Amino acid sequence: MKKLTIVISVLYSLNCFSQEPNPLLFQTWYLSQYVGDFSPSFNVSEIDPPITPTLTISDDLSFTGQGACNSFFGSFSNITSDYLDPFDLVSTLSICSSQTHELFELNFFDFLRYPVYYNIYPQGQGYTLTLSSPLMAYEIFQNFPLNTTEFDSEKITIYPNPTNAAIYLNLKQLIASKIDVVNSIGQIVKTTKSDFEAINIADLNSGVYILRIDTNMGIINKKIVKN
């Protein structure tokens, strides 16, 4: 699969490199379905215990997301009007309590490591994003959660960002139970279980980190930069 997708990636990028990305792509997407080629398929609403897998794509070509029990982040080397070419993907290394969750994450994360075509189209008051691989596997996302209309990652604000000392959080109406700071190779380097208004990262090395925030409405990932 890897060799085939690399060849298609090269050929397609030569033809389409100049095409601009769809601006609707740059937001948070909620996975509703994964259909594998030679691997299991999953309807997210049927997974038990329930999960809320996400993919957030930023206009600087970076992305973050949440699987079942692990967060992930990475970047794209190329985005056109209908094509995504991932450069890397790093995930945290927790062992999920459910075998179903473990199997889901294995397939969900692996799918996002390879080039895919994408399409965005209206659905009700929102949009649907489909990602499809050359071998006919695909993922379907919406830009609204499956089980609630109240959840919104933008409800959490962080500042200053970048910072060389403390990062401050405004959780607004959300209730946090734990915040992990994850480094660029997926390691949890700091955990906070109280005093969520400020997190001191002065002792961390310079670089990009992910704040993985456990809240009463699900897990939210925020990218931060330590100067």
Side-chain angles (χ1 to χ4, degrees):
M1 176 177 178
K2 185 174 182 179
K3 290 182 179 179
L4 175 62
T5 53
I6 288 174
V7 171
I8 293 175
S9 172
V10 171
L11 294 175
Y12 194 88
S13 61
L14 289 174
N15 292 327
C16 304
F17 185 81
S18 62
Q19 297 181 10
E20 291 296 323
N22 186 329
L24 291 172
L25 185 66
F26 304 120
Q27 57 180 302
T28 295
W29 298 95
Y30 300 86
L31 181 70
S32 62
Q33 187 177 18
Y34 167 83
V35 176
D37 40 21
F38 305 107
S39 58
S41 299
F42 297 89
N43 286 314
V44 171
S45 62
E46 298 175 358
I47 295 177
D48 186 41
I51 57 175
T52 307
T54 62
L55 171 65
T56 300
I57 304 175
S58 301
D59 57 9
D60 63 358
L61 305 191
S62 66
F63 61 85
T64 63
Q66 179 66 35
C69 69
N70 284 286
S71 302
F72 63 90
F73 55 94
S75 61
F76 295 104
S77 61
N78 183 27
I79 299 179
T80 72
S81 61
D82 60 358
Y83 184 74
L84 301 174
D85 190 359
F87 174 70
D88 60 5
L89 183 150
V90 177
S91 69
T92 55
L93 304 174
S94 300
I95 298 176
C96 299
S97 58
S98 162
Q99 289 186 345
T100 300
H101 288 182
E102 288 279 347
L103 184 59
F104 164 78
E105 283 198 339
L106 177 65
N107 288 278
F108 178 37
F109 292 175
D110 190 57
F111 179 89
L112 294 174
R113 298 182 193 277
Y114 299 101
V116 293
Y117 301 100
Y118 75 90
N119 182 38
I120 299 174
Y121 54 90
Q123 179 180 347
Q125 299 298 312
Y127 289 91
T128 290
L129 165 70
T130 61
L131 305 180
S132 57
S133 77
L135 294 182
M136 304 307 293
Y138 63 88
E139 293 181 341
I140 300 176
F141 298 80
Q142 283 81 35
N143 66 344
F144 48 88
L146 299 180
N147 53 5
T148 176
T149 58
E150 298 298 323
F151 183 86
D152 183 359
S153 65
E154 298 306 317
K155 288 183 178 179
I156 292 182
T157 56
I158 57 175
Y159 58 94
N161 189 22
T163 183
N164 59 7
I167 192 86
Y168 297 91
L169 293 87
N170 184 350
L171 300 176
K172 300 181 182 178
Q173 302 300 316
L174 297 177
I175 300 172
S177 58
K178 183 178 70 169
I179 298 177
D180 292 324
V181 182
V182 182
N183 67 14
S184 60
I185 59 173
Q187 298 172 325
I188 298 174
V189 295
K190 187 182 289 286
T191 297
T192 299
K193 295 185 178 180
S194 61
D195 301 324
F196 300 118
E197 293 82 8
I199 300 175
N200 186 2
I201 60 171
D203 57 325
L204 300 182
N205 294 329
S206 298
V208 177
Y209 296 85
I210 298 296
L211 291 185
R212 189 171 77 172
I213 308 166
D214 283 279
T215 79
N216 59 316
M217 296 297 290
I219 296 176
I220 298 173
N221 296 297
K222 291 287 188 179
K223 183 173 69 174
I224 61 172
V225 177
K226 166 65 188 310
N227 287 335

